[in-house]
Amino acid sequence: MSDRWQEMAVFVRVAESGGLSRAARELNLSQPSVSRIVGTLEARLGITLLLRTTRSISLTEAGTLYLERARYLLAEMEEAEQAARGMDSLHGVIRLAMPVLYGARAVIPALATFLGRHPDLRVEMIMSDARQNLIADGVAVAIRLGVGPLDDSSFGARRLALVERLVVAAPAYLSAYGTPASPAELARHDCIVQHGLFGRESWRFTHNQTVTSVDVSARLWINSAPGVLAAAIAGLGIALATRIMAGEELRNGQLTQLIETYRLDPAEVYAVFPAGPRPSAKVRAIVDHLEATLSALD
């Protein structure tokens, strides 16, 4: 039975890492050993799990089904072992996905004390403003920012924090084109819109319990928060940003907050669990820590 657990664990690491060589390094095995173990698994099952080329590997349909069940079984085994050891001995790897700028300015600084308490735990970070296939990428927990309902409704989720959103622009842009005094005036300005995260051309404001929606003119569409921030600093238009995202630039004068008496709906920060509503002990621990830390940020 122990050989079967090893075969399963090695296959999962190969599938998640995308290659035999990387999996071998992570598992401290030789590449021929990893290849042999996966081959033995396929021979025992009588099916092909991985399609191999000289440059890459990919999962067959059977491999995708086996990967989903193998992850579940390995997580259950780890949960049993963790329950016996106790929470103070968390170990292994957590694959954590997050947006680029929020991850860099909020999530990563929050991990320092957590990793200090759990020296046997490793975190693999996937930083991207694009929505990954969390199952295919082997993500244990994803940090999501957005306004409105989550897209991944079939996954488990927990709200970690609310983040204030602002309208910002560079002094150079305001000097050249004027400063809007109300949401309605935004329609006459060049605006910067981010694909996906807050990617909409109708901006919704609340003032004295009255809701106002403004259709803005998107001069630039950008697929990443760092790109939106850079474009705003360069004076290319007016943008939406979270306070965490643009706080440093607001403090040093590179950006100016606009229309301060009108409030945008806050961004909601969620932890999403592809494994469902019962994540592993180490995932629960890191999410508990992030909730306590991120909810305290301005």
Side-chain angles (χ1 to χ4, degrees), residues 94-99 107 123-128 130 132 134 137 139-144 270 272:
I94 299 177
R95 185 166 288 191
L96 179 63
M98 67 189 81
V107 179
V123 177
E124 292 184 359
M125 298 184 193
I126 301 174
M127 300 183 69
S128 173
Q132 302 89 11
L134 303 183
D137 289 342
V139 172
V141 56
I143 306 302
R144 297 286 204 216
Y270 278 90
V272 177

Side-chain angles (χ1 to χ4, degrees), residues 94 96-98 102-103 106-115 117 123 125 141-144 158-162 269-273 282-297:
I94 299 177
L96 179 63
M98 67 189 81
Y102 186 77
V107 179
I108 289 177
L111 290 177
T113 54
F114 178 79
L115 292 177
R117 290 199 301 268
V123 177
M125 298 184 193
V141 56
I143 306 302
R144 297 286 204 216
R158 189 199 305 180
R159 194 173 78 177
L160 304 181
L162 292 175
V269 183
Y270 278 90
V272 177
F273 319 119
K282 60 190 176 187
V283 169
R284 292 198 305 271
I286 196 170
V287 170
D288 288 344
H289 175 80
L290 289 175
E291 181 178 19
T293 308
L294 299 180
S295 63
L297 298 177

Side-chain angles (χ1 to χ4, degrees), residues 33-47:
S33 294
V34 169
S35 182
R36 177 183 54 77
I37 291 169
V38 173
T40 300
L41 171 63
E42 291 178 318
R44 182 170 58 78
L45 296 176
I47 54 175

Side-chain angles (χ1 to χ4, degrees), residues 223-236:
N223 69 348
S224 75
V228 170
L229 191 65
I233 292 170
L236 298 179

